[in-house]
Amino acid sequence: MLQIQIHKDTHNCASRSRVLGKMASIAWVAERAIPLLKRKPNMGAAAVKEELEEKYKIQIAYQTVWYGTQRAADKLFGKWSDSYDWLYRFKAEVELRSPGSIVEIQTEIVDDKVHFRSFFCAFRACINGFLHGCRPYISIDSTHLNGEWNGQMPAAVALDGHNWMFPVAFGLFESETKESWTWFME
């Protein structure tokens, strides 16, 4: 005996035709990496891979986990490229909340696109602290930045009355050149 039933509601169970593959996709990894990155934001792809493989008892290609972790980080923290736009918001907020502070952003136009070149920041409180409580000596140096943007982070520090380092100014530039240091010092 044969019986036919017609299902009039929407059909929402997984079917073979809608399953793209049996392996974990970048989107699948990204979805499961979000809670892991919320718990530990500096977690690398290798640690995410290890946790996912242990929890779900599957093997995932490192490249898939890396791209999935990047997608999850972009969703949680925003994209690196968007962070340059936030510099102008930062400048406006500092100038509003701390009048007399100096915030400079230098850009250049290449192929009709605006590219970040350098950044300088000296808060008014740090300027006043240097003028009224520090020795008349400033030390400058920079440190290398590794990651999405490889550049230099220069800083100017002074010595206060306790012989402690007192921050005066900081910035960002592409490399330690005479031009970059001159711009920073001016």
Side-chain angles (χ1 to χ4, degrees):
M1 176 181 241
L2 181 67
Q3 182 180 1
I4 299 174
Q5 292 182 330
I6 299 174
H7 185 70
K8 294 181 182 180
D9 295 330
T10 56
H11 188 68
N12 57 12
C13 66
S15 70
R16 286 281 280 164
S17 63
R18 283 187 270 163
V19 175
L20 298 176
K22 295 179 182 179
M23 298 189 317
S25 66
I26 293 169
W28 184 90
V29 170
E31 185 179 316
R32 280 144 188 89
I34 288 174
L36 299 175
L37 293 176
K38 279 183 181 177
R39 187 181 64 207
K40 191 176 176 187
N42 293 331
M43 184 178 244
V48 170
K49 179 180 187 312
E50 187 178 309
E51 285 210 25
L52 292 178
E53 286 182 347
E54 186 175 321
K55 182 174 181 178
Y56 295 101
K57 308 292 185 225
I58 59 171
Q59 294 292 316
I60 311 170
Y62 178 82
Q63 184 175 355
T64 303
V65 176
W66 190 86
Y67 283 119
T69 304
Q70 290 300 312
R71 188 180 290 184
D74 288 349
K75 194 171 190 175
L76 277 176
F77 311 118
K79 295 183 179 188
W80 277 95
S81 58
D82 296 341
S83 65
Y84 296 110
D85 295 335
W86 284 95
L87 279 177
Y88 291 101
R89 293 181 182 109
F90 175 78
K91 175 182 170 128
E93 196 66 27
V94 167
E95 290 172 346
L96 175 71
R97 307 274 179 191
S98 180
S101 295
I102 302 167
V103 180
E104 295 292 330
I105 302 167
Q106 190 178 40
T107 58
E108 64 183 355
I109 297 175
V110 177
D111 298 330
D112 294 330
K113 291 185 179 181
V114 178
H115 291 271
F116 173 77
R117 188 165 166 82
S118 52
F119 171 79
F120 175 86
C121 182
F123 296 116
R124 183 67 192 170
C126 294
I127 295 168
N128 288 342
F130 170 70
L131 293 175
H132 302 296
C134 291
R135 297 177 184 177
Y137 170 79
I138 293 179
S139 175
I140 59 169
D141 199 5
S142 72
T143 186
H144 295 276
L145 299 173
N146 297 317
E148 191 75 24
W149 189 72
N150 296 319
Q152 302 282 322
M153 182 176 176
V157 296
L159 290 176
D160 67 8
H162 298 291
N163 284 334
W164 295 345
M165 289 193 308
F166 185 85
V168 178
F170 67 95
L172 300 167
F173 50 63
E174 195 170 5
S175 63
E176 286 188 278
T177 62
K178 185 176 181 179
E179 178 187 338
S180 297
W181 276 115
T182 303
W183 182 83
F184 181 79
M185 295 306 290
E186 287 174 351

